[in-house]
Amino acid sequence: DTEVTQTPKHLVMGMTNKKSLKCEQHMGHRAMYWYKQKAKKPPELMFVYSYEKLSINESVPSRFSPECPNSSLLNLHLHALQPEDSALYLCASSQARGVYEQYFGPGTRLTVT
Amino acid sequence: GENVEQHPSTLSVQEGDSAVIKCTYSDSASNYFPWYKQELGKRPQLIIDIRSNVGEKKDQRIAVTLNKTAKHFSLHITETQPEDSAVYFCAARGGQNFVFGPGTRLSVLP
């Protein structure tokens, strides 16, 4: 099974809402990633978890809060977002951080109103 | 840090022709170069990759070549089909993370 799943597929939220994005993989991968992708742009790395520990934070605003409850799950908690945060949020996983292939989930299309 | 450039930004070819997309990278220590295909509204899908100890890799109609000296790598698609139409992203492993190129929108005209 080489699949990464994400829920929800679409999310519309107001600037005062709190919501969470979820990601799951059952490939035994030990590295998981959150990317943000704006239209017609490449994915931009937001967070990396390696062996369930946050190993990098690419200077992402604190209104985005990641969580890795276990080796198969990854969450992204959202609070007080801005309209410019509207984007496709992609989760990815790899066998380990570094060289190995990254597999992407289908993404959550987020719209902030 | 790593910087990846990609050309062209758009490419139109006739069905059955070949398509070539080129990327350059800046970090000579980079050693892994994947290519992703992203159809409209879909996830990026890994279609082929190459590691720095190999100069060329082929998988059916898709091939990737790597020139470490010049720090560039290319994607070659032969006998293009309409379903090849998509955005293609190259990437290089800079440090421990991928750095993506800006993408190439490939259109295969019937």
Side-chain angles (χ1 to χ4, degrees):
Chain A
D1 183 9
T2 57
E3 189 163 350
V4 178
T5 59
Q6 288 186 244
T7 56
K9 290 185 178 180
H10 302 276
L11 178 61
V12 179
M13 59 185 291
M15 289 188 285
T16 58
N17 292 158
K18 288 184 180 182
K19 296 286 184 183
S20 296
L21 309 184
K22 296 184 183 301
C23 174
E24 190 167 2
Q25 58 88 13
H26 294 290
M27 296 179 278
H29 288 175
R30 301 314 300 267
M32 296 184 76
Y33 311 80
W34 279 116
Y35 287 87
K36 174 183 177 180
Q37 186 178 27
K38 301 283 276 184
K40 299 184 180 181
K41 296 290 186 181
E44 295 177 49
L45 183 63
M46 300 175 71
F47 301 105
V48 179
Y49 273 88
S50 180
Y51 289 85
E52 297 150 58
K53 293 191 186 302
L54 183 63
S55 60
I56 190 168
N57 177 337
E58 294 282 340
S59 301
V60 176
S62 59
R63 57 186 183 268
F64 295 92
S65 175
E67 179 194 17
C68 189
N70 60 54
S71 60
S72 300
L73 294 174
L74 189 64
N75 298 322
L76 185 62
H77 303 296
L78 315 173
H79 173 57
L81 295 192
Q82 304 297 310
E84 59 265 29
D85 296 322
S86 298
L88 180 67
Y89 288 83
L90 293 160
C91 174
S93 71
S94 65
Q95 187 175 347
R97 192 180 170 201
V99 179
Y100 301 99
E101 299 89 338
Q102 286 190 21
Y103 297 96
F104 284 87
T108 293
R109 176 74 60 188
L110 173 67
T111 302
V112 182
T113 60
Chain B
E2 177 65 276
N3 181 53
V4 178
E5 297 184 356
Q6 185 172 348
H7 298 281
S9 57
T10 60
L11 178 61
S12 293
V13 299
Q14 289 295 132
E15 183 177 355
D17 287 350
S18 296
V20 180
I21 303 170
K22 298 181 179 180
C23 287
T24 60
Y25 61 98
S26 60
D27 187 352
S28 56
S30 289
N31 61 4
Y32 176 64
F33 308 92
W35 285 89
Y36 285 85
K37 173 185 179 182
Q38 188 173 27
E39 297 176 66
L40 189 62
K42 301 284 183 67
R43 75 185 80 190
Q45 286 202 299
L46 178 67
I47 56 172
I48 197 167
D49 57 12
I50 192 167
R51 306 195 183 206
S52 59
N53 59 347
V54 175
E56 182 175 359
K57 183 176 178 181
K58 189 174 182 180
D59 182 4
Q60 298 183 335
R61 295 187 297 110
I62 295 173
V64 57
T65 58
L66 171 65
N67 183 327
K68 286 179 57 181
T69 303
K71 289 189 282 187
H72 67 71
F73 56 111
S74 300
L75 177 71
H76 304 254
I77 306 174
T78 59
E79 301 173 17
T80 54
Q81 301 167 4
E83 51 265 38
D84 295 328
S85 295
V87 177
Y88 291 80
F89 293 103
C90 63
R93 187 181 80 109
Q96 293 194 49
N97 299 315
F98 288 176
V99 176
F100 286 88
T104 295
R105 180 171 299 280
L106 173 65
S107 298
V108 179
L109 308 174

